[in-house]
Amino acid sequence: MKSLTFFFLLSVHFCFAQNNFTGRLLDANSKQPIPFGHFSFEKNQGFISDERGIFSLNNTAKEIEVKVSALGYQNKITRLTSNQDNLNYLTPKTEVLAEVILDYEDPAKALIRKVVEKIPTNYPSQQEQVYGRYRENAYSDSLKTKPIYKAEAHFKADKFSYAKKSTSGNVQLLENSIDVINMDSLKVKFYGGIHGIHYEDYVLKRGGPLTLSRLDKYRLKIKDTLSIDNRTVIQLDYQRKKNRGSFYIDLDSYALIRVERSLDPKEIKEDEFNFLKIYKHIYFREIISYEKDSDNRWRFKFSHGKAGFISLKRKEELHLEGTFIITQHLPKAELIPQADRFP
């Protein structure tokens, strides 16, 4: 059987940690899981809860102090203890406001144009360097009971000005690990996942209706007005064919601070490795989030994507989850040397 062999990571090694930190992140009022909450510790280390509010971390310490945050909740500093179930609760900060009247003839389109116009002032306009972690899990079933591998990479990347559209940039792989469970079941091995720090940045790449030349092809609707972290935020829904999503826009600055989207599998183009000649897409969903720093610039903070595939010949399923979390932003620094750049 024909098989492609291009790899997600350059090298493989196994990491053994002394202690395991596990737990759940929950809403203090409803006791429901909080998905994709941020946990940061030791300056540039971090991890997130999954869509069920569950988190897991390996570390040599017996206890760690973490700062916990999530969109729409009050931040909290707490301690996690290894080898026990750590329950963490955050208090909601979100409330629905009275309707905000937008003084535009075409409110939705005008709002998108304003978001694009403000990108150079709302996001970094100079070169920066970021550090972060990327986690990728693969399963052969949608219930995640049949894992194939679990991989993690620590990386740094050169980020350039948001004033110009970009989907690529320099990345350096600092360390990586992979827990192989059943790689024999995989027809395709993935390559270059850490480059998502660039092409998953929805604002930087002017994704969807942010490319104004495509704006008229989208159906837009201002869905709601919310108060999130003491900010007035507008939820704007968009749709083109079966591709749809929601923008969360800070009304004060017109910054796009969160994107939730899903793609029609038929609209996803075949890639240069002919991956779709072996598998076809079943679904694709993604969340991208930005946070405002002390310099009043919004920066890419994390993304979580889920994609499903089915092999064309044997009808075997493949389900992927990829998560980026940025742990540190540094001001202008020397570019990553050519020899150290991940291809």
Side-chain angles (χ1 to χ4, degrees), residues 12 27 44 79 87 103-104 130-131 154 177 196 254 272-273 288 296 306 319 331:
V12 173
D27 185 298
N44 65 345
R79 298 191 69 83
L87 296 180
D103 189 20
Y104 301 130
V130 301
Y131 288 77
H154 183 208
S177 63
Y254 294 100
E272 60 181 306
F273 298 109
I288 306 108
N296 291 323
K306 301 171 68 174
H319 300 268

Side-chain angles (χ1 to χ4, degrees), residues 116 119-120 123-124 159-169 198-199 201-214 218 269:
V116 174
I119 287 176
Y123 302 86
K159 297 283 283 186
F160 300 103
S161 171
Y162 278 72
K164 296 177 63 177
K165 174 182 177 179
S166 178
T167 58
S168 61
H198 300 298
Y199 62 75
D201 190 332
Y202 207 76
V203 174
L204 183 61
K205 73 177 183 180
R206 306 299 195 269
L210 295 184
T211 296
L212 296 182
S213 61
R214 300 197 298 252
Y218 286 86
K269 297 180 179 179

Side-chain angles (χ1 to χ4, degrees), residues 302-336:
F302 89 94
S303 70
H304 179 79
K306 301 171 68 174
F309 309 87
I310 187 168
S311 63
L312 297 177
K313 291 186 177 180
R314 293 192 173 185
K315 304 301 180 183
E316 295 172 335
E317 293 185 6
L318 170 64
H319 300 268
L320 289 177
E321 291 188 353
T323 302
F324 278 94
I325 179 167
I326 305 306
T327 56
Q328 189 176 21
H329 291 86
L330 298 179
K332 186 175 181 180
E334 294 294 327
L335 293 176
I336 298 171

